[in-house]
């Protein structure tokens, strides 16, 4: 195990302030993929994409929520090239990297802690969000908007860093959603997240009721 990457330490220490997060990722965008994939062994995009694709029909409209540089989108399309993928992210610089991959239908700037006002109710066949629900970023209340824009029966796949799972209220939120009859919990699996740093996440799969 190595010491945690200093950029990752800074990322999870952010206060959740959109302006601070946007600036941080704008500054990091150029080296983001190499830092995550090569330096820390980030596998969140892979495990999230695998969990979603196996629960979707061959053709489906998917939202990559917090798409960043498009790592999740690339993992999705490598497993099913028939998917149609939209992406949202807080940071324009990250969206430009996603756009350069040529795999997204639409890409737009959005704050997942606010109402996703440009997205209609019940339109996505599946939603995936990797690396977003974590310390200092989007809190558990961000799940509510994903439920609104997903079709009934749609799978929603999230990675939640283990340091945030209970401490930041994600476990309680997932349990409450099921108790309220809004979701069914299909899977919660403790998974490697940063393989070179011995950091784990909870892979959460919800079905919209």
């Amino acid at each position: 195990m190595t010491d945690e990457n200093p950029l990752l330490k800074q990322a999870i220490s952010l206060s959740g302030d959109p302006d601070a997060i946007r600036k941080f990722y704008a500054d990091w965008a150029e080296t983001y993929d190499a830092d995550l994939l090569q330096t820390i062994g980030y596998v969140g995009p892979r495990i999230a994409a695998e969990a979603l694709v196996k629960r979707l029909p061959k053709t489906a409209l998917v939202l990559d929520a917090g798409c960043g540089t498009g790592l999740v989108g690339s993992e999705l399309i490598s497993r099913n090239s028939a998917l149609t993928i939209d992406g949202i992210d807080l940071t324009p610089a990250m969206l430009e990297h996603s756009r350069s991959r040529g795999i997204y239908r639409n890409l737009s700037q959005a704050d997942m802690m606010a109402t996703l006002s440009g997205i209609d109710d019940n339109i996505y066949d599946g939603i995936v969000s990797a690396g977003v629900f974590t310390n200092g970023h989007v809190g558990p209340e961000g799940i509510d908007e994903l439920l609104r824009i997903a079709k009934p029966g749609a799978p929603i796949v999230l990675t939640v860093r283990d340091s945030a799972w209970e401490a930041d209220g994600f476990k309680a939120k997932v349990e409450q959603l099921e108790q309220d009859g809004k979701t069914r919990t299909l899977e919660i699996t403790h998974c490697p997240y940063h393989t070179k740093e011995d950091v784990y996440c909870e892979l959460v799969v919800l079905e919209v009721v």
Side-chain angles (χ1 to χ4, degrees), residues 149-162:
I149 63 179
K151 293 178 180 178
I156 296 180
V157 177
L158 316 171
T159 64
V160 182
R161 184 172 163 135
D162 61 358

Side-chain angles (χ1 to χ4, degrees), residues 6 11 43 74-75 109 111 127 134 138 157 181 189 200 204:
V43 295
S74 293
E75 293 283 357
Q109 187 177 354
D111 182 354
I127 296 176
T134 187
V138 178
V157 177
T189 304
Y200 284 74
V204 180

Side-chain angles (χ1 to χ4, degrees), residues 1-2 36-44 46-47 191-200:
M1 178 180 175
T2 60
L36 264 64
L37 299 178
Q38 298 169 24
T39 304
I40 73 168
Y42 179 47
V43 295
R46 176 178 60 79
I47 64 173
C191 294
Y193 197 46
H194 306 162
T195 60
K196 296 182 180 179
E197 298 183 336
D198 201 27
V199 173
Y200 284 74

Side-chain angles (χ1 to χ4, degrees), residues 52-66:
L52 184 65
V53 167
K54 71 183 183 182
R55 293 178 169 90
L56 290 174
K58 181 66 175 177
T59 58
L61 176 59
V62 173
L63 178 69
D64 181 1

Side-chain angles (χ1 to χ4, degrees), residues 173-187:
K173 177 67 172 180
V174 168
E175 291 172 350
Q176 190 63 54
L177 288 170
E178 184 151 35
Q179 289 173 19
D180 292 344
K182 296 180 178 180
T183 63
R184 281 186 286 272
T185 302
L186 303 182
E187 178 182 349

Side-chain angles (χ1 to χ4, degrees), residues 12-35:
I12 65 171
S13 70
L14 294 169
S15 64
D17 173 66
D19 291 334
I21 294 171
R22 191 179 297 110
K23 182 182 186 307
F24 175 79
Y25 283 101
D27 292 341
W28 193 9
E30 287 299 323
T31 63
Y32 181 85
D33 287 5
D35 288 338

Side-chain angles (χ1 to χ4, degrees), residues 109-127:
Q109 187 177 354
D111 182 354
M112 289 175 58
M113 287 293 282
T115 301
L116 301 175
S117 56
I119 305 178
D120 292 334
D121 296 353
N122 307 326
I123 64 167
Y124 286 106
D125 300 304
I127 296 176

